[in-house]
Amino acid sequence: MDNEYSKSGLNFPLLPVPKGNLTIPAVQDINAIAGLQSSIAPKLSFSLIIPTYNEGQNVPKIVNQLTKLLDEVLPGDYELILVDDNSPDETWKIAQELIPSYPQLQVMRRIEERGLSTAVIRGWQAARGEILGVIDADLQHPPEILLKLLAEIQRGADLAVASRHVEGGGVSDWSIIRRILSRGAQTLGLLILPGVIGRVTDPMSGYFLLRRSCLEGKTLSPIGYKILIETLGRGDVRWIGEVGYVFQERQEGESKVTSKQYVEYLQHLVRLRFARWPIARFFRFGMVGFSGVFIDMGIFYLLRNLGGLGLTRSGIISSELAIISNFLWNDLWTFRDISRRQPGKRKMLIRLLKFNLVCLAGLVLHILILNLLYNFLGMNQYLAKLIAIIIVTFWNFWINLKLSWRVTEIRND
Ligand code: GDD
Ligand code: MN
């Protein structure tokens, strides 16, 4: 156990680092996760995590300011959990020495693990609060904003985010490069994960509070810095409140952000994209699409050979009948849970029309891709055809998910 009690000579024990998956426990289970025998930990209203790496100069100030603030509004009913990744400047020791003066302060020293987001989650795993929060240690996030964030949660919000991009928000002195990079990252996020990134004005914010119940029992697996995106991507967050704040200039120490964080951000987006991709529903959609190929080929054969119909007419009739069959199976099976909530013939007909339009647009896209790959890129015609089929299957699935069955909230079913 990472307990430096004896070694550091300081007689205030550090908080044990939870082990295993990054699953957020209910308050009554936190001791078990930390491998402690003792009884159930008493609940608190609020637990605020302060992730630190080489923040020795900032820690006394931030702990002092936060304590003054929270002693006013939540006397004895909150905890500050500082999670340090074994900083070379021994931030953990500086914090440990503060514990006698700040009874609400707890310090966790991670030796094997490293990274801002996972540090926050390890803190949340050990936290006893019904409301969980995170704030940077370098005073770039003004502590007084916490009161407004708490008020948002008390008003009923599941998540309260301090944002630089709403009224009263901004950054004090950022270079044009950093502004472009930050906005660029946000735009990229909107392309890959619109349903997550689009829910808040400042998805890159590292300053927010949330109800523990939004993450209880969820297993998180972030990469890098973006703990808010992970929370939105895997949590049950319904109502979101935002509070404007000005991101301050750092007084002491330096930012740990390097190009590595930008690569990790991209990896994180892709990981969440796949985690949130409704695999089972997509599999059913694929099966139905596959059955449609047989319907299409079978009817085409019958019309051509028994019906003696012309090529184009047979092709159009067989494709249309395959589209109708696909629609019926998708409505009855793939999207059963949604079509049941949109009962009646009329609504079903509208879904069929939309499905038809999307599939026809898919057909046009198919022809375009085929010609692009074969005629312009000189690709083998069968490989070009296969790639066109794969791309159009994703297109048909995604657009029908968004349009024909209007699934706004996508979940792995
Ligand atoms: N435990 C731990 N482990 N803490 C870390 C680590 C780490 O590997 N890396 C950074 N931290 C801590 C820092 O010590 C600081 O308290 C906080 O995380 C933020 O780190 P900075 O390096 O100061 O980040 P920034 O100011 O450039 O960016 C911040 O603001 C951005 C805009 O809101 C972060 O909050 C970003 O997430 C946010 O996007
Ligand atoms: Mn900072």
Side-chain angles (χ1 to χ4, degrees), residues 121-145:
I121 297 168
R122 288 299 187 202
W124 285 344
Q125 286 184 303
R128 294 180 287 145
E130 286 307 323
I131 302 170
L132 304 174
V134 53
I135 187 171
D136 287 353
D138 56 10
L139 297 160
Q140 293 194 276
H141 292 156
E144 59 278 11
I145 297 291

Side-chain angles (χ1 to χ4, degrees), residues 2 124 132 143 176 195 211 235 250 255 276 312 320 360 368:
D2 293 324
W124 285 344
L132 304 174
I176 188 71
R211 273 178 212 291
R250 189 188 247 274
S255 168
R276 289 173 58 82
T312 311
E320 184 50 33
L360 288 179
L368 282 176

Side-chain angles (χ1 to χ4, degrees), residues 36-55:
L36 292 176
Q37 302 316 317
S38 60
S39 63
I40 293 186
K43 276 191 183 167
L44 290 170
S45 291
F46 182 36
S47 301
L48 182 61
I49 311 304
I50 312 167
T52 60
Y53 193 76
N54 281 349
E55 301 290 353

Side-chain angles (χ1 to χ4, degrees), residues 171-300:
V171 287
S172 57
D173 181 18
W174 264 18
S175 67
I176 188 71
I177 301 291
R178 183 120 196 222
R179 287 171 194 265
I180 292 170
L181 279 173
S182 178
R183 282 300 189 174
Q186 191 165 347
T187 313
L188 184 69
L190 279 172
L191 288 174
I192 298 175
L193 267 179
V196 172
I197 305 289
R199 299 191 66 191
V200 288
T201 57
D202 190 357
M204 309 299 163
S205 178
Y207 191 10
F208 60 92
L209 309 185
L210 76 152
R211 273 178 212 291
R212 187 192 198 99
S213 55
C214 298
L215 286 180
E216 221 162 84
K218 305 274 181 200
T219 299
L220 307 178
S221 72
I223 307 172
Y225 261 46
K226 305 304 168 196
I227 179 67
L228 175 57
I229 294 173
E230 184 69 9
T231 303
L232 279 168
R234 296 187 199 265
D236 280 334
V237 175
R238 299 197 184 280
W239 179 10
I240 301 174
E242 294 190 302
V243 174
Y245 86 102
V246 176
F247 187 70
Q248 307 294 308
E249 262 324 285
R250 189 188 247 274
Q251 303 307 322
E252 308 284 353
E254 56 197 35
S255 168
K256 280 79 193 176
V257 168
T258 63
S259 57
K260 181 167 169 271
Q261 264 70 42
Y262 289 95
V263 176
E264 287 180 338
Y265 168 62
L266 194 54
Q267 290 172 312
H268 192 186
L269 286 176
V270 172
R271 176 183 283 185
L272 272 176
R273 175 67 282 156
F274 281 98
R276 289 173 58 82
W277 185 262
I279 297 157
R281 204 192 285 281
F282 184 63
F283 176 75
R284 293 205 293 271
F285 188 82
M287 295 283 283
V288 169
F290 199 56
S291 75
V293 175
F294 291 95
I295 305 265
D296 193 346
M297 299 301 272
I299 292 175
F300 181 74

